[in-house]
Amino acid sequence: MFLKCPAGMSTANQPVQHQSSLSFTEGFLLGQLSVVILIGAFIKFFIFGDPPSPETTASTRALARRNQNSAHKRTFSINASPSAVGKSDTVLPSNVLRYPPRLTTPIILQKTYYNVDAHQPESLDWFNVLIAQTIAQFRTDAHQDEAILTSLTHVLNGSQKPDFLSSIKVTEISLGEDFPIFSNCRVHPVEDGFTGPDGARLQAHMDVDLSDLITLGVDTKIILNWPRPLTAILPVALAVSIVRFSGTLSISFLPSASHPAPSSSANSAMPPQQPLSTTPTSLAFSFLPDYRLDINVRSLVGSRSRLQDIPKIAQMVENRLHAWIDERCVEPRVQQVALPSLWPRKKNTRGPPSEEGDGMGLKGMDPVRDLREEARREVEEERRKDREYREREAATGMAEGLRWRSKAEGGGYEMPGAMPL
């Protein structure tokens, strides 16, 4: 028995199905349109958005650095002298060495006729010439045998390279043609809140300005390892150029200090005398927070349809470069370089060979080795004299034996000049 459905039921379900399919299509299109709008907004404002002007960026960074520096000075100053950390046991002075009066900072300024309040800023033309010669020699040495290319390739592909980057290839290197210009040098006490027995330390501030084109270009690939390794590879070419650097350089000397060396056993009784550890004199330099660094970043992303000079990549590289400089040599952080001994030594002498002495000329050794050679020569001379003395004694003993034997045989041996019997 077959049942026949009414005709009105089929016609009633048709509008419902048409309405459900229409709502699904509208939702799908609306979702796709939302995704497209989000991707477009992201590309426009995040990737191709206009970066702020260099003046605005420089002023914002300088303000942030000054605030950080002032907050750091309220807590602790890294520029404090190492002698302020602790006082070591004083050593009794020798009676041979005559100690002059303590040379404090005011006495040094008085003897050098320098008034930190009234002295005019000095030009550093002679210093600029020396720095220019040093940089010129560095550039010449860097171009020999492509030493700088090998070094940079080794550093960029070292252990600190991220895993999502392939091997980095250096494509462009330019060390520039101009030189930094130092000017407006002035000397004044260090404002670190510490005044030692010798008075406040002195520091020199000088303005430095460099307008050049120092470029480093690299070529690499970004590897996407998710959800599986080597899912996608994106070629990237990047070239960073330093266009200008200007700021204020601060230079000061950190005097040497002696402090007790840490003992090996912490629970041991008080030792009779702890060895002293001496910190060498060092040169500290840093830049004030109001420095300015202008760079130019050129980028090329993609293999076929390439994106050129993306502003967001330039902004990220610039922020990373500023952070690298701030973490190393911008106040309150400083760079310390230990100074070598300035005592004249023979092995450091250069020039024509000397006409006096033992004829060794400039190949002489330091005082310790000279003393060793002198002691060795004295020992050899003593040995030679002792050997000659022994030979002379042996010869004398042989002559005496011959004399006694001839007398015993009745030879009538007589000493020269002896009276006859």
Side-chain angles (χ1 to χ4, degrees):
M1 181 178 181
F2 297 97
L3 297 177
K4 185 182 292 185
C5 295
M9 183 178 295
S10 61
T11 58
N13 292 335
Q14 288 180 358
V16 178
Q17 295 177 357
H18 177 70
Q19 185 177 1
S20 61
S21 61
L22 183 61
S23 61
F24 173 77
T25 304
E26 291 177 352
F28 178 77
L29 294 178
L30 183 61
Q32 295 295 325
L33 182 61
S34 302
V35 172
V36 171
I37 292 176
L38 290 176
I39 294 176
F42 175 79
I43 294 176
K44 180 179 180 180
F45 295 103
F46 185 77
I47 298 180
F48 295 100
D50 296 332
S53 61
E55 290 78 9
T56 305
T57 305
S59 60
T60 304
R61 288 197 178 99
L63 180 60
R65 295 191 197 101
R66 281 196 296 269
N67 294 335
Q68 182 182 3
N69 193 13
S70 60
H72 183 80
K73 283 183 177 180
R74 286 193 297 266
T75 56
F76 177 75
S77 177
I78 198 172
N79 292 331
S81 175
S83 60
V85 178
K87 297 294 182 179
S88 61
D89 297 336
T90 58
V91 181
L92 295 178
S94 174
N95 295 327
V96 178
L97 184 61
R98 298 294 184 264
Y99 290 90
R102 180 181 292 273
L103 293 178
T104 60
T105 300
I107 294 179
I108 294 176
L109 294 175
Q110 181 182 1
K111 290 181 177 295
T112 54
Y113 307 101
Y114 195 97
N115 189 354
V116 295
D117 298 326
H119 201 282
Q120 296 295 327
E122 301 178 7
S123 62
L124 297 173
D125 298 336
W126 62 272
F127 187 69
N128 293 329
V129 174
L130 295 180
I131 292 297
Q133 291 179 347
T134 305
I135 296 177
Q137 185 62 39
F138 167 76
R139 291 171 178 171
T140 303
D141 296 340
H143 286 88
Q144 291 182 356
D145 300 332
E146 297 183 351
I148 188 171
L149 178 60
T150 305
S151 302
L152 285 177
T153 304
H154 178 72
V155 171
L156 293 176
N157 292 279
S159 59
Q160 297 181 355
K161 183 176 68 69
D163 296 335
F164 59 86
L165 291 180
S166 65
S167 60
I168 301 176
K169 179 182 178 182
V170 179
T171 58
E172 181 182 1
I173 297 178
S174 176
L175 299 179
E177 300 178 355
D178 294 329
F179 304 100
I181 302 299
F182 296 87
S183 61
N184 195 21
C185 180
R186 56 271 185 199
V187 179
H188 55 83
V190 179
E191 298 177 357
D192 55 1
F194 170 76
T195 302
D198 297 337
R201 291 187 299 111
L202 297 177
Q203 65 179 355
H205 282 177
M206 57 189 73
D207 298 335
V208 56
D209 184 76
L210 173 63
S211 296
D212 204 348
L213 190 64
I214 303 174
T215 306
L216 174 62
V218 297
D219 190 1
T220 185
K221 296 178 181 179
I222 299 178
I223 302 175
L224 182 61
N225 294 322
W226 188 86
R228 62 178 183 272
L230 299 178
T231 301
I233 297 177
L234 182 64
V236 175
L238 193 65
V240 182
S241 301
I242 298 178
V243 180
R244 182 183 179 185
F245 177 83
S246 61
T248 303
L249 177 64
S250 175
I251 300 178
S252 62
F253 287 96
L254 299 179
S256 60
S258 299
H259 51 85
S263 58
S264 58
S265 57
N267 299 328
S268 61
M270 294 184 61
Q273 185 178 2
Q274 293 183 354
L276 296 179
S277 176
T278 303
T279 303
T281 302
S282 59
L283 175 68
F285 67 92
S286 62
F287 292 98
L288 297 187
D290 57 350
Y291 77 94
R292 178 174 176 177
L293 177 64
D294 296 337
I295 64 175
N296 182 23
V297 180
R298 294 178 283 114
S299 59
L300 195 62
V301 180
S303 56
R304 294 184 178 179
S305 46
R306 297 188 172 186
L307 300 178
Q308 185 176 1
D309 297 340
I310 301 176
K312 195 61 180 180
I313 294 181
Q315 187 176 359
M316 293 172 59
V317 172
E318 185 175 358
N319 293 335
R320 182 58 182 171
L321 186 58
H322 278 88
W324 187 88
I325 297 176
D326 294 343
E327 293 173 357
R328 284 163 175 80
C329 55
V330 176
E331 287 188 353
R333 297 176 176 87
V334 298
Q335 286 288 323
Q336 294 187 12
V337 180
L339 297 180
S341 176
L342 300 180
W343 187 260
R345 306 183 68 177
K346 194 173 182 180
K347 69 175 184 179
N348 297 330
T349 306
R350 300 294 183 270
S354 60
E355 299 178 356
E356 300 178 356
D358 53 0
M360 297 179 66
L362 296 180
K363 296 183 180 179
M365 295 161 286
D366 55 4
V368 177
R369 296 186 61 183
D370 291 341
L371 292 176
R372 291 177 180 174
E373 290 294 328
E374 185 178 358
R376 184 179 60 82
R377 289 193 294 267
E378 291 180 357
V379 170
E380 291 180 354
E381 184 68 19
E382 290 291 338
R383 290 179 179 176
R384 185 181 62 82
K385 291 181 179 180
D386 185 65
R387 186 170 57 253
E388 292 178 355
Y389 176 78
R390 290 176 182 273
E391 292 177 355
R392 191 164 54 249
E393 286 292 330
T396 306
M398 184 181 297
E400 290 293 335
L402 291 175
R403 291 172 186 172
W404 283 105
R405 184 168 56 182
S406 60
K407 186 175 181 179
E409 293 176 354
Y413 177 80
E414 296 181 355
M415 292 292 294
M419 295 183 66
L421 297 174

